[in-house]
């Protein structure tokens, strides 16, 4: 069976780094997918303007032995399921997890350099700023408004996917994905992160209240013992100074 290599580019007014994938994924919009089946040329799908390619239709997806993406479980996989109609429980593989499982760099850019495969050549952050972040008025730049930059954006995605594929081929596999136990852990981790788990909120609120009360008591004790030279347990330098002064008297 064949492997599908996939990389997504998205746009959103939500800052992914500031708010995390939990807030970003429901509020993002996929705009570009670059993909390849096995060793075939990497192709690009302009998601906003073109119909879904045959290779990414549900019938085709179920025929692959796996879908490979870098940081798949935190980004590409949940976005594909939420916005592109990808069925759940497809066999996904994460090239970032494979790298980390064998103590290789997590960043694809660093990984390509470390493994001496094709290096990314484009200013990624500049292209992301152009197409993935809204303008001040809330609008987005597109291939129609910035045709030259869009072609560069597509070429960047193609090289990104090709580089990821080469990394996947040469990375060790004994810890992941060849280890069945680790694969089960990855799937359990994904399910927990996507679906969550039950929490007793009343218990959490009471625990927070108890922690706050304990902090107040501890701070008061520190203030009393140090005679006001420290007012919080977190003021380590002041507490240490008081101890040294007390020992020297």
């Amino acid at each position: 069976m064949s492997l599908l290599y996939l990389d997504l580019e998205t746009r959103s007014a939500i800052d992914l780094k500031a708010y995390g994938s939990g807030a970003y994924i429901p509020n993002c919009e996929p705009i570009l997918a670059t993909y390849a089946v096995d060793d075939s040329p990497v192709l690009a799908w302009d998601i906003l303007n073109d119909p879904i390619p045959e290779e990414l239709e549900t019938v085709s997806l179920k025929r692959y032995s796996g879908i490979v993406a870098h940081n798949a479980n935190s980004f590409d996989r949940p976005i594909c399921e939420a916005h592109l109609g990808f069925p759940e429980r497809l066999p996904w593989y994460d090239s970032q997890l494979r790298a980390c499982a064998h103590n290789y760099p997590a960043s694809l850019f660093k990984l390509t350099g470390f493994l001496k495969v094709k290096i990314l050549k484009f200013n990624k952050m500049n292209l992301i700023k152009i197409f993935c972040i809204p303008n001040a008025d809330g609008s987005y730049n597109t291939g129609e408004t910035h045709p030259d930059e869009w072609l560069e954006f597509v070429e960047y995605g193609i090289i990104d996917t090709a580089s990821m594929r080469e990394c996947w081929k040469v990375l060790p596999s004994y810890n992941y994905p060849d280890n069945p136990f680790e694969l089960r852990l990855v799937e359990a981790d994904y399910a927990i992160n996507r679906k969550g788990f039950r929490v007793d909120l009343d218990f959490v609120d009471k625990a927070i209240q108890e922690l706050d009360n304990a902090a107040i008591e501890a701070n008061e004790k520190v203030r009393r013992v140090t005679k006001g030279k420290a007012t919080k347990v977190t003021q380590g330098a002041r507490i240490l100074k008081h101890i040294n002064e007390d020992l020297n008297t």
Side-chain angles (χ1 to χ4, degrees):
M1 296 176 70
S2 296
L3 277 177
L4 173 70
Y5 298 91
L6 178 69
D7 182 57
L8 290 180
E9 304 298 338
T10 58
R11 66 187 188 186
S12 177
I14 301 294
D15 187 325
L16 176 59
K17 289 185 177 180
Y19 294 97
S21 59
Y24 182 87
I25 290 171
N27 296 288
C28 76
E29 182 179 20
I31 58 175
L32 176 69
T34 48
Y35 63 94
V37 178
D38 292 331
D39 293 324
S40 63
V42 180
L43 303 176
W45 173 29
D46 182 343
I47 300 174
L48 298 177
N49 296 301
D50 298 331
I52 187 169
E54 180 182 353
E55 296 89 341
L56 302 182
E57 291 180 346
T58 300
V59 174
S60 298
L61 294 173
K62 293 181 178 180
R63 295 172 182 164
Y64 300 128
S65 60
I67 304 172
V68 179
H70 202 75
N71 196 26
N73 279 8
S74 296
F75 191 78
D76 303 85
R77 181 178 181 178
I79 290 174
C80 283
E81 291 175 356
H83 298 287
L84 298 180
F86 278 39
E88 295 185 6
R89 300 187 180 279
L90 290 175
W92 282 81
Y93 297 120
D94 192 326
S95 55
Q96 186 178 75
L97 284 178
R98 184 170 176 179
C100 292
H102 300 92
N103 204 29
Y104 284 76
S107 159
L108 182 58
F109 181 81
K110 293 181 179 179
L111 186 62
T112 54
F114 188 84
L115 296 175
K116 295 182 172 56
V117 303
K118 186 177 293 185
I119 304 299
L120 308 182
K121 298 179 181 179
F122 295 110
N123 186 338
K124 175 181 178 180
M125 297 311 299
N126 183 56
L127 293 169
I128 288 176
K129 183 177 180 181
I130 293 173
F131 294 110
C132 303
I133 299 173
N135 299 312
D137 62 359
S139 65
Y140 287 96
N141 299 320
T142 66
E144 287 72 33
T145 62
H146 292 70
D148 293 338
E149 291 85 354
W150 179 258
L151 292 177
E152 189 176 354
F153 191 52
V154 171
E155 183 64 18
Y156 157 74
I158 289 173
I159 292 177
D160 206 20
T161 300
S163 299
M164 182 259 294
R165 176 171 61 184
E166 293 307 307
C167 289
W168 181 261
K169 289 180 179 180
V170 300
L171 280 168
S173 61
Y174 46 86
N175 287 330
Y176 173 91
D178 290 351
N179 186 325
F181 177 71
E182 290 296 330
L183 275 179
R184 291 197 298 272
L185 284 182
V186 168
E187 286 304 305
D189 175 78
Y190 181 76
I192 290 170
N193 280 303
R194 298 318 314 158
K195 299 181 181 302
F197 53 90
R198 294 181 181 276
V199 176
D200 186 337
L201 295 180
D202 289 337
F203 176 82
V204 171
D205 289 338
K206 290 177 181 177
I208 292 173
Q209 184 178 351
E210 288 300 315
L211 286 172
D212 289 341
N213 292 337
I216 292 171
E217 292 177 6
N219 290 337
E220 175 58 26
K221 185 174 182 179
V222 166
R223 186 197 63 77
R224 186 174 64 254
V225 171
T226 64
K227 299 177 181 178
K229 293 178 181 178
T231 57
K232 295 181 180 179
V233 294
T234 55
Q235 295 173 339
R238 294 186 183 184
I239 295 172
L240 183 60
K241 182 180 179 182
H242 168 76
I243 293 173
N244 288 330
E245 291 175 350
D246 191 54
L247 291 174
N248 293 326
T249 57

